[in-house]
Amino acid sequence: MTLVGTNVEMTGGRAKVAGAVSYAADMDIPGQLYAKALRSPYPHAKLLRIDASKALLLAGVRAVVTRDDLTGLNPYFGTGVEDQPVVVIDKVRCVGDIVAAVAADSREIAEEALDLIEVEYEELPAVTDILETAKATAPIIHEQHVDKRAGGNIHGVYRAASGDIEQGFRESDEIIENSYTIPPIQHGHIEPHAVTAFWEPSGKLVVRTPCQTPSPLQEQIAKVFKLPLNRVRVIVPFVGGGYGGKNHARIEPVVALLARKARRPVQWILSRDEVFLTGRRFGAVVQIKTGFKQDGRLWARKAEVYYDMGAYALSGPANSKNACLIAGGPYNIPHRDYTSYAVYTNLPPAGPYRGVGASHVCWAYESDIDDIARRLNMDPFEIRLKNLLKENTRFITGEPMISVGISECLKQVANAIGWEAGAEQRLRSEAIVRGKGLAVAIKSTSTPSTSAASVRLNSDGSAVLLTSTTDMGQGAQTCLAQIVADELGLPFDLVTVTFPDTDFTPYDKSTSSSRATFHMGKAAQIAARQIRDQLMQAGAKALEAHVEDLELKDGRLQVKGVPEKRLSYPQLFKAIFGEASGSLFGSHTLRTEGGVDAITGQGKGSSFWFYSAAAAEVEVDTETGKIRVLKVATAVDVGKAIHPLQCTLQNEGSALAGLGSALFEEMRFDNGQPINCTFLDYMLPSMLDHPSEFESRLVETPHPDGPCGAKGMGEAALPPTAPAIGNAIANALNGARVRDLPIRPDKIVALLSKATAKR
Amino acid sequence: MTLVGTNVEMTGGRAKVAGAVSYAADMDIPGQLYAKALRSPYPHAKLLRIDASKALLLAGVRAVVTRDDLTGLNPYFGTGVEDQPVVVIDKVRCVGDIVAAVAADSREIAEEALDLIEVEYEELPAVTDILETAKATAPIIHEQHVDKRAGGNIHGVYRAASGDIEQGFRESDEIIENSYTIPPIQHGHIEPHAVTAFWEPSGKLVVRTPCQTPSPLQEQIAKVFKLPLNRVRVIVPFVGGGYGGKNHARIEPVVALLARKARRPVQWILSRDEVFLTGRRFGAVVQIKTGFKQDGRLWARKAEVYYDMGAYALSGPANSKNACLIAGGPYNIPHRDYTSYAVYTNLPPAGPYRGVGASHVCWAYESDIDDIARRLNMDPFEIRLKNLLKENTRFITGEPMISVGISECLKQVANAIGWEAGAEQRLRSEAIVRGKGLAVAIKSTSTPSTSAASVRLNSDGSAVLLTSTTDMGQGAQTCLAQIVADELGLPFDLVTVTFPDTDFTPYDKSTSSSRATFHMGKAAQIAARQIRDQLMQAGAKALEAHVEDLELKDGRLQVKGVPEKRLSYPQLFKAIFGEASGSLFGSHTLRTEGGVDAITGQGKGSSFWFYSAAAAEVEVDTETGKIRVLKVATAVDVGKAIHPLQCTLQNEGSALAGLGSALFEEMRFDNGQPINCTFLDYMLPSMLDHPSEFESRLVETPHPDGPCGAKGMGEAALPPTAPAIGNAIANALNGARVRDLPIRPDKIVALLSKATAKR
């Protein structure tokens, strides 16, 4: 490995710095129209009547689509559950549901046309509270998609267990039980959703969209319009941030429908408030109960997790199922019983967000472990170390865990933060207290799943990797090029990685779940190896040497130790084809094994498991409740850092998102009405919120199935960051703890007054 | 074969009819500049001084390139011979040579800027006559690229021989000897050359061009700019006609250079007069001498062919070499000696034109064979049939010919035209005479050569063929889809064929030489077969059947005769990958064997040989010389007609081009100055010139190496059309013959006055 492990120049980095990247919204198609949507003002209502005839009369309006335009289509779409209509059919289920869409010559005309669409609703009782919606008495949001046995708006119930939970609690010396809440938050990708669609005269649909899942999106659109896959082309340029927010078909079906009706290209760039209504992180309630021994051993843990999917399921069921497995954290606990619920509410649809599912449960179990340590008067570092998963420990799924770098991650962040036993709290002044906190996390990746890669070698030794992996700033193209280049003995610049274009690039499950490096990287490596093998065999014949004695290095094939016996790539092509031209191919579809049983939760929960840790030091103003984060350190077990700098940047981004979710990020609703749908009202971390010290450490515990030992790592540092900050605050406050995110100053003040009142 | 052999709807046909195809010139890139060139007014001159500084001062001019901008580049490019500078360096070699190019905000500004460029030339003696230029006394055009032993401006001499030519002539009963000339003509593609180039900030060059040879063009541009192939991306949309005229790098290097200097996209659409100066068919002189026996057996033939390449070689040497092999026609002649010369002249560069090389020699040898028949008082049909190549006849190259449908072609056209022995001439009135004529032709395809194809099967059973074959109206995408669909048992609509985009699509030698169906079709078929094999094996396992008992049909795999034992494509994917998703791949680089020895002409001359015949009936007004073509019939041995209608259209197009070249097409020069560079002055066949009857017949002699037995056929009907018309005219005129194309009325009148004078 020459390139893997080094910080080569990021692909596209230069163009981004030069402002020369065209994002989806920058690309206009001659003759394109502009779309706008009429959205529901109610969280739950019957759609009695809709009449767009007046809008159609407005000059410059080229098409309006409503439920009347769904004839002949499969009108509902979705990743697993097809519960989302292209436009509302019978009732609206959240504020922002699209009841009609207009395509017009300008955005202004489209906007004006919306006012001319007549709609009558009959309001229905709405439910937005996670626990309320799960009750039998709740108004039902999706009659067709709820689990009748579970009741209420529960779509799915997922369970995993090991040992005997009742026995576990009986055998425990002490038990603590708490409930935690996590609010919906925004992904905060700077690029909004921006979709352009047009129909070729042949009846083929072309969709350009900044999407993390080109292949599944292609499948969903094909299903809506009843087309074969080769007649839906999805093109994905550089994506300006995703974080899970661009994981699903969102506005693509309605834009395609508009384009079909208007017979023109249609572009729709969402405004920021529309992005808020289009996707968000699940809100959740986590109820967790832990029994433990006096010596600090965790002995029994029961967790119940409610995920608020909002009005439509998207990947909520799959995410809830995965989160169930990790509801108790990366600990070896003899008796475990975890249940998760995916519930509908009348809020805008949720979906994956960096650290999906893991952040919610981690907030709970890592807060609890500090409470347990405090109860036992143990060092939070030591109690974690004592209970953490080790190599070959059996997990709740029954599988022996491998490549387990979690203890090392914990040690690294403790070291980075200057952790000392018993030295958690410090006073800076009477009003201002300081504290340090630790947290660890575990997460799964989407399992099983499929990624296909195709590599082509040109006769001059340059190569192209055809892949549907999306580059959304994380550097996927860079990292995949490094892997392919090393496999073929090429310099970095000689490998091109394509953007996804489903006409040309093969199937990929998604660029999400931190799966791209592990899955696509491995598929690409295997594909490149097929070419390598062809070169080796041709070279062995031409050089009259054994394959084992050959090496591909510095753009040529040579006999090890006999550098004068060598062939350039053009010479190798000549040896194979009789001419220094042509193409050599390698292709591989990688399908991972695994998955857990739906009822028992037993099986292989993840192709690889993420292990990470975070530490934080904070300052709390006990008078104002104001929190200043002095330092955040994260450590992630990356298996092998293909590009250490990119890994570090991922960690820092994760930590910053974790900090925002810990302290101030929350989408707020008033009976289903969103009230902070702009980045003025909704608080993203700014440069002023950055901790003065920021450290990222990479732990490398090679994974046998990953390319060069690499695992996914993009999200790993996020889940432990909020609880590390929460624990630092609790340590600063002698154990007083806010359990409902975000930890706003008003909550601190209220908490401290209550504590004072108690005293 | 379900689809192969049927007239499925042409891919893109609907879009073309709807006017919805975007050709290269229709695609604008935001921020693009417009290019114009300053061209040499002299056919041959030293470039003493060039100063563009004043042009650069004009508002709106963004870049000017001259020879001063070639530093660091490989300034000369070319297919085989790198003799063409990106812009003129030391001297101009033809009128139209580019001495400077401007990129500006508008075409008007660019045009205006040209006047501000100061140039000083020193005129040199020019040579434009083909035979003159070959003489030792001629002014030398390319010191570096002439064959010093051959002398003059001869670039290359190619020879093939069999038997003993001197003995052959000694043994002959009679000998005739003639000289024929063929003028330069235009391809007449309606779409001009239209190139857009831009440089990505990474230093990668993107070129969009309607080009028949994306891969070699990519190689040439990469060489000019010293880039690896993965950093030059060539994209080819639908091409609006090529006929060989878009076979080579032409304006692409200078547009790319302008774009690099301006740091902006640059578009250049040639005006028609610039197209005339950019490419044309070779002019030629063919000297042919034939000895024959009284019974009509051809006994000895000597041919010397001079091809006028113009100022730059392009593929002239390769074309001259190939043409040498066929200089005597598709006849079995015991003693043969053919020589061809590729010569430079001070005319604009020539290059391949449909039927390259073959049309020139065919005009000569097929005129001569009628003269021989007349001399022997034999039926021109019978004398041909007697001498034509048959299965396993050894050709001049020494190879035994296979798949030889030439006699059948001749019989078909004779039948179509109502040929009767001795009934060639008919009088309609005193002044107007009628005659019928026949001709046959043979042609080779580029050999050896390489085509690579990659097929991807989607999980729903739709497929994509990734190919760099250009669709320029001939229907390549249709035909390739048919082959792939049949191989995979799919309906036609489920196979997409890509446009060339060298980032995604693999190497292909060219879409020229009628090689696409044979080479790319075969590569695609083999690639698809790899997928078929994977499906068969998975299906055999899943259905517990033998592979031999299975068939892929109607979009599923089934046990022959047991249709209820079957698997759909999604089921097959599930059987392979555990899930109905992913991609299956097949890829193949096809390299044909063959090629002839440079000195002896022995070897395998062509991967397949074209055999074709034409017949014509004409009416000649002996007073005005006006010729009316009443009927043209062509027959081509296509091996297997993949899409019979497309084959027929190719034949009709070829025949029409042949008619134009027979009767009125010629580019005219006055001491190197072109004088008919518009379609007003240059005569293309119009609807009024169409023969009232037009017939195309397809002969199918399967070729063992072609996909489904197919051979290339796109050009085959062109070469025999002009001599068939020429023979019809000669027959109408009792053997009086114009040997210099085109057969203009004034030449007829002159010929007849001479004949009358003689009497």
Side-chain angles (χ1 to χ4, degrees), chain B residues 395-584:
Chain B
F395 199 46
I396 193 169
T397 53
E399 70 194 286
M401 302 300 260
I402 57 166
S403 176
V404 185
I406 183 79
S407 297
E408 183 59 24
C409 287
L410 178 64
K411 289 173 190 166
Q412 288 292 334
V413 295
N415 170 278
I417 202 94
W419 182 267
E420 287 172 66
E424 301 92 17
Q425 197 214 346
R426 247 175 345 128
L427 251 63
R428 215 188 93 199
S429 70
E430 199 147 337
I432 296 180
V433 290
R434 283 189 176 183
K436 293 179 182 178
L438 299 172
V440 294
I442 181 171
K443 190 186 165 296
S444 65
T445 190
S446 178
T447 303
S449 74
T450 305
S451 287
S454 187
V455 177
R456 195 186 81 234
L457 185 69
N458 300 322
S459 59
D460 70 341
S462 62
V464 179
L465 166 63
L466 277 72
T467 172
S468 294
T469 289
T470 294
D471 199 313
M472 42 201 184
Q474 87 280 43
Q477 292 187 348
T478 315
C479 163
L480 293 172
Q482 287 174 284
I483 292 168
V484 170
D486 267 1
E487 200 61 36
L488 293 173
L490 295 175
F492 178 70
D493 282 350
L494 288 191
V495 178
T496 293
V497 178
T498 67
F499 287 91
D501 179 338
T502 60
D503 258 15
F504 295 101
T505 56
Y507 181 89
D508 178 48
K509 170 71 181 293
S510 69
T511 307
S512 69
S513 207
S514 301
R515 61 181 297 287
T517 300
F518 185 89
H519 295 80
M520 189 58 77
K522 190 70 184 183
Q525 189 180 45
I526 293 171
R529 195 163 292 162
Q530 292 169 7
I531 295 176
R532 184 191 177 87
D533 289 346
Q534 295 171 64
L535 295 174
M536 286 289 198
Q537 274 157 29
K541 208 173 150 195
L543 293 170
E544 295 177 346
H546 292 288
V547 164
E548 312 80 61
D549 297 334
L550 296 175
E551 58 181 354
L552 273 168
K553 206 178 162 182
D554 304 331
R556 59 175 177 264
L557 185 84
Q558 62 190 35
V559 179
K560 287 176 201 162
V562 195
E564 62 277 16
K565 281 193 81 174
R566 69 189 190 202
L567 292 169
S568 67
Y569 282 90
Q571 288 170 327
L572 283 163
F573 270 73
K574 198 160 182 196
I576 295 169
F577 298 122
E579 185 187 59
S581 72
S583 301
L584 283 174

Side-chain angles (χ1 to χ4, degrees), chain A residues 35-37 39 65 77 84-87 96 98 101 192-197 205 207-211 217 220-221 225 245-246 248-259 266-271 274-275 277-279 314 349:
Chain A
K36 286 277 174 188
R39 294 177 177 278
V65 296
F77 65 96
Q84 186 162 9
V86 176
V87 289
I98 299 174
H193 300 79
V195 174
T196 307
L205 169 62
V207 178
R208 195 171 56 209
T209 175
C211 168
L217 176 68
Q220 286 180 50
I221 297 174
F225 291 99
K246 292 167 180 166
H248 296 281
R250 302 272 173 145
I251 58 174
E252 290 86 354
V254 69
V255 177
L257 186 60
L258 275 172
V266 174
Q267 186 198 64
W268 191 11
I269 304 172
L270 291 192
S271 59
E274 286 181 300
V275 174
L277 298 176
T278 304
L314 303 174

Side-chain angles (χ1 to χ4, degrees), chain A residues 572-719:
Chain A
L572 283 163
F573 270 72
K574 198 160 183 196
I576 295 170
F577 299 122
E579 184 188 59
S581 71
S583 301
L584 283 174
F585 298 96
S587 300
H588 186 69
T589 297
L590 181 102
R591 169 74 179 175
T592 54
E593 310 260 309
V596 297
D597 184 86
I599 294 161
T600 65
Q602 299 298 293
K604 182 177 181 181
S606 187
S607 305
F608 64 88
W609 293 93
F610 299 70
Y611 300 108
S612 59
E617 184 175 10
V618 302
E619 208 169 71
V620 185
D621 186 324
T622 53
E623 283 172 1
T624 63
K626 165 91 183 159
I627 293 152
R628 212 175 119 219
V629 179
L630 303 174
K631 176 157 188 173
V632 170
T634 60
V636 170
D637 181 4
V638 301
K640 167 74 188 174
I642 305 287
H643 191 295
L645 180 58
Q646 288 186 176
C647 291
T648 297
L649 292 172
Q650 284 295 308
N651 278 356
E652 294 188 356
S654 290
L656 202 61
L659 184 151
S661 70
L663 300 183
F664 33 76
E665 287 192 59
E666 60 182 320
M667 279 178 75
R668 302 176 72 179
F669 297 91
D670 180 4
N671 191 28
Q673 294 290 343
I675 53 177
N676 63 341
C677 284
T678 72
F679 281 156
L680 286 175
D681 299 318
Y682 178 94
M683 295 288 109
L684 279 180
S686 78
M687 289 310 287
L688 294 177
D689 301 307
H690 272 234
S692 12
E693 283 183 71
F694 220 178
E695 194 168 339
S696 158
R697 299 207 182 171
L698 305 176
V699 171
E700 294 188 328
T701 317
H703 196 289
D705 300 334
C708 314
K711 314 181 211 181
M713 57 74 58
E715 324 168 72
L718 202 155

Side-chain angles (χ1 to χ4, degrees), chain B residues 39-257:
Chain B
R39 295 177 176 278
S40 165
Y42 303 111
H44 204 188
K46 277 192 194 162
L47 179 60
L48 298 181
R49 191 179 75 90
I50 180 155
D51 180 354
S53 53
K54 284 186 189 148
L56 267 172
L57 296 176
L58 184 67
V61 170
R62 304 295 175 177
V64 183
V65 297
T66 67
R67 61 186 180 187
D68 300 334
D69 297 286
L70 301 177
T71 317
L73 304 187
N74 288 314
Y76 290 94
F77 65 95
T79 306
V81 189
E82 286 165 355
D83 62 358
Q84 186 161 9
V86 175
V87 290
V88 164
I89 297 173
D90 53 350
K91 64 174 185 173
V92 300
R93 294 181 176 86
C94 64
V95 170
D97 242 358
I98 299 175
V99 294
V102 175
D105 291 350
S106 73
R107 292 189 184 93
E108 293 68 27
I109 296 171
E111 190 82 44
E112 200 184 331
L114 298 183
D115 293 337
L116 301 175
I117 300 170
E118 295 170 6
V119 196
E120 275 177 47
Y121 300 96
E122 177 188 321
E123 265 198 88
L124 296 170
V127 60
T128 58
D129 180 86
I130 301 176
L131 297 180
E132 287 300 317
T133 197
K135 290 184 182 163
T137 51
I140 300 302
I141 301 166
H142 284 278
E143 293 287 352
Q144 310 299 321
H145 299 293
V146 292
D147 181 337
K148 296 283 190 300
R149 290 160 307 170
N153 287 294
I154 296 175
H155 167 82
V157 183
Y158 312 94
R159 187 154 176 263
S162 64
D164 179 329
I165 191 68
E166 296 308 327
Q167 180 192 336
F169 283 124
R170 279 198 306 273
E171 293 171 1
S172 297
D173 295 330
E174 291 198 59
I175 290 171
I176 67 164
E177 187 169 4
N178 283 302
S179 180
Y180 295 84
T181 67
I182 298 93
I185 60 173
Q186 270 295 296
H187 301 88
H189 40 75
I190 299 308
E191 181 200 38
H193 300 79
V195 173
T196 308
F198 63 92
W199 294 76
E200 294 182 353
S202 66
K204 179 174 175 175
L205 169 62
V206 182
V207 178
R208 196 171 54 209
T209 175
C211 168
Q212 299 179 231
T213 57
S215 304
L217 176 68
Q218 180 197 26
E219 289 174 344
Q220 286 180 50
I221 297 175
K223 193 161 182 191
V224 166
F225 291 99
K226 299 181 178 172
L227 292 170
L229 292 175
N230 70 325
R231 294 169 78 94
V232 177
R233 179 179 181 183
V234 174
I235 301 169
V236 180
F238 260 132
V239 175
Y243 315 116
K246 293 169 181 164
N247 240 26
H248 296 282
R250 302 275 173 146
I251 57 174
E252 290 87 352
V254 70
V255 177
L257 185 61

